[in-house]
Amino acid sequence: MLNIVIFGPPGSGKGTQSENLIKTYNLEHISTGDLLRKEISTNTQLGALAKGHMDKGELVPDDVIIGMIDSFLDKMKNANGVIFDGFPRTVAQAEALQELLKTYKTDVNVTLNLNVPDEELITRLIERGKTSGRSDDNLETIKTRLQTYNNQTKPVLDFYKKQGVAVDIKGVGTIDAIFADIKKAVDAVK
Ligand code: B4P
């Protein structure tokens, strides 16, 4: 299996570049953000819990997210590989993913770390907020999301650096130019 973690701060282009990865490689895709928003839009109990955290710019509790990944992987036994988009966001999630993948005798092959300066992230997310209808794309929540990223998510990068699978990608420029760098990194581990 070819397993790719697409990593970076909010608004760095994880969702955007995942679309390119899906088109280019025959891989399954899981976006924890999209799954949570689906739970919210269908008014489930999990959605109500998630909304409380997401609207404040906080992470949804690890046990909820890990449960979602566990049931997703259970359906992926015959997949060529998986793109993990927006997951893992804590070291506990990264450790849980490693354990889950072990049961399928596989691991993360590459972690693509999208680097984008904070000012650009804020501009992108405010812009997206004008049309996305997302309740977390407003300045106050965006600032908290960036703090949450620095405090809880950035350490995940060290986890993957220690394993030698993290690759830095310049996340500023045209979507195509960024994807060209991503493709090089993925082709190198394929
Ligand atoms: P996510 O849905 O994962 O979203 P994101 O980090 O905001 O966005 P992403 O990086 O995918 O940006 P995009 O490509 O859309 O998370 C939302 C919330 O869900 C989290 O805050 C958290 O509460 C919760 N959550 C999700 N996963 C979780 C987990 N594992 N654990 C706990 N909680 C979790 O790009 C943004 C914008 O930039 C778009 O408008 C795009 O068009 C634009 N853009 C992209 N690339 C560009 C480029 N090169 N140049 C200019 N603009 C660009």
Side-chain angles (χ1 to χ4, degrees), residues 13-16 32 37 54 58 60 86 89 93 128 145 173:
K14 300 183 292 289
T16 305
T32 40
R37 281 185 289 277
M54 289 165 83
E58 295 166 359
V60 174
R89 260 175 155 99
Q93 291 180 17
R128 181 174 71 184
R145 286 162 69 193

Side-chain angles (χ1 to χ4, degrees), residues 1 28 71-82 104:
M1 276 174 93
E28 303 296 331
S71 19
F72 170 82
L73 285 175
D74 199 41
K75 293 176 231 139
M76 293 299 135
K77 290 190 176 104
N78 298 317
N80 288 329
V82 177
Y104 299 95

Side-chain angles (χ1 to χ4, degrees), residues 144-162:
T144 313
R145 286 162 69 193
L146 289 173
Q147 276 167 8
T148 303
Y149 171 79
N150 284 320
N151 298 336
Q152 292 175 261
T153 305
K154 233 177 177 177
V156 173
L157 192 58
D158 294 326
F159 177 92
Y160 287 119
K161 276 187 178 158
K162 274 187 206 139

